[in-house]
Amino acid sequence: MSVMDRERRANKLVANKNSILYMDLKDIIRNHALQFLPAKSLFRFTGVCRDWKLDITTPFFAHKQSNSFHDISGFFCQSGTAPPSFISLDPNAYGVPDPPLNFLPEPVEIRTSSNGLLCCQGRDGYKAYYICNPVTRKWKILPKPNADHGCNPAIVLLFEPSLLNFVAEYKLVCVFPSVDFDNGYEFEIYSSRDESWRVSGEIYFGNHPPVPRTGVHVNNIVYWVLDYQILVFDLTMERAQQLSGSFCDTGGTGALGLMDGKLCLTKPSPTGLTVKVLSNAYTNTMGMHSNVRAWETKHQISLSPPPFDSTTYNHRMMTNYILFAGGNVVLYRSGGKLHAYDLKTKETQCLGDELDQNARIVSHVNSLVEI
């Protein structure tokens, strides 16, 4: 073999060793797996080696992780004026360093969340809204709204991570009673890009107010429970309408959520839970005798043993039975205990004693998202 051939072969071996097949296992995990892990696990892994610590603590890695990890990790809970607490779905993997949110400048009430960001409201002065990441303990105070949102605002936080935005861009939408029109409800929108509030020109007229803490957003459309119906607000068009027929057969006991990119309705059934997805949001515009169905059953979940006596089941008695439904998780109360059902593994875990009936519950994604 000539000298030139030996050099060519040596260069080829060096090139191969730079490929993923020749990388150390720790480098493969660092480059291709870490970004899909929750924040608590990542903080623990900073002790594996210096390279991992340097990588995990960079803003670029936080950006990658916030775009890769979206699992429901636990729930912030709050009763009355007590400070918030945190219930983890897996204490070894998910957690926050300061569950009472003492890093904020004043006592707060938890309001809504979205993909790692948490919206809270202060109790003093004009009751300012705060946007924070409980994992990193970074926060931002928002300017005072133009309208009076009331003491228990029906507010929704919208945040969708984007590879193009290294700093989170989010919106808040609050529906509030109009002071100018009887039975009228208006919408105020906050944009982090504009750093300001504005009241939409749209007004919804109805006999029932939106229920606080029931709002969810799907594809830039916000939904709130209206007793037996659903209020729909298209954020792009800034148009509101009522989605009828969705809660009529549940007695208003279901919970709205987001599953697989669609609005879902989870309700109690005699043997467990039923999860339906909204297949057509425009049924109100269909002909009177149209066969198009708005909701389709996605999951029929049997819980064994049943959480209540099926012989005496009455859906009107199941108010506040389902506390949250979204992602792959359904949170519900039964037998004085709090339970979480995983739609993917089909397993149920008991999370502890049942919460106060009026407790505020907000889901959390263990993300490193930058504010």
Side-chain angles (χ1 to χ4, degrees), residues 104 106-111 119-130 141 151:
L104 293 174
E106 63 171 311
V108 296
E109 296 184 357
I110 56 175
R111 293 302 183 196
C119 174
C120 306
Q121 189 174 24
R123 294 173 177 161
D124 302 327
Y126 67 89
K127 297 184 177 180
Y129 289 111
Y130 295 88
I141 187 171
C151 60

Side-chain angles (χ1 to χ4, degrees), residues 199-220:
V199 177
S200 170
E202 180 73 348
I203 300 177
Y204 165 77
F205 291 93
N207 295 321
H208 300 287
V211 180
R213 304 195 303 275
T214 63
V216 299
H217 68 92
V218 183
N219 298 325
N220 225 34

Side-chain angles (χ1 to χ4, degrees), residues 318-335:
M318 296 294 106
T319 303
N320 292 331
Y321 169 73
I322 301 174
L323 304 175
F324 172 84
N328 291 312
V329 178
V330 178
L331 183 71
Y332 65 95
R333 63 173 88 240
S334 176

Side-chain angles (χ1 to χ4, degrees), residues 70-251:
H70 306 292
D71 293 348
I72 300 298
S73 310
F75 300 90
F76 280 95
C77 307
Q78 188 175 26
S79 297
T81 59
S85 60
F86 183 72
I87 300 176
S88 176
L89 292 178
D90 184 351
N92 292 323
Y94 310 136
V96 295
D98 184 8
L101 307 177
N102 290 324
F103 60 87
L104 293 174
E106 63 171 311
V108 296
E109 296 184 357
I110 56 175
R111 293 302 183 196
T112 177
S113 68
S114 182
N115 287 311
L117 295 183
L118 177 66
C119 174
C120 306
Q121 189 174 24
R123 294 173 177 161
D124 302 327
Y126 67 89
K127 297 184 177 180
Y129 289 111
Y130 295 88
I131 302 295
C132 68
N133 182 343
V135 169
T136 63
R137 288 178 283 191
K138 294 182 179 179
W139 56 274
K140 179 179 181 179
I141 187 171
L142 304 189
K144 183 178 179 180
N146 300 301
D148 181 6
H149 294 175
C151 60
N152 191 14
I155 194 164
V156 178
L157 174 62
L158 296 86
F159 167 58
E160 294 294 340
S162 170
L163 289 171
L164 301 178
N165 298 325
F166 275 79
V167 177
E169 289 190 1
Y170 52 87
K171 292 182 179 180
L172 280 170
V173 181
C174 183
V175 55
F176 61 94
S178 173
V179 296
D180 299 318
F181 301 94
D182 292 337
N183 296 324
Y185 296 89
E186 300 185 60
F187 305 85
E188 187 163 19
I189 304 166
Y190 175 83
S191 168
S192 64
R193 178 181 295 181
D194 300 331
E195 296 186 337
S196 63
W197 292 89
R198 65 176 181 84
V199 177
S200 170
E202 180 73 348
I203 300 177
Y204 165 77
F205 291 93
N207 295 321
H208 300 287
V211 180
R213 304 195 303 275
T214 63
V216 299
H217 68 92
V218 183
N219 298 325
N220 225 34
I221 299 177
V222 187
Y223 303 84
W224 290 271
V225 172
L226 287 172
D227 196 17
Y228 286 78
Q229 287 82 33
I230 294 174
L231 172 61
V232 182
F233 181 67
D234 188 321
L235 196 55
T236 302
M237 304 296 294
E238 295 196 18
R239 291 291 181 267
Q241 67 168 336
Q242 179 178 295
L243 186 60
S244 302
S246 50
F247 262 36
C248 291
D249 62 340
T250 70

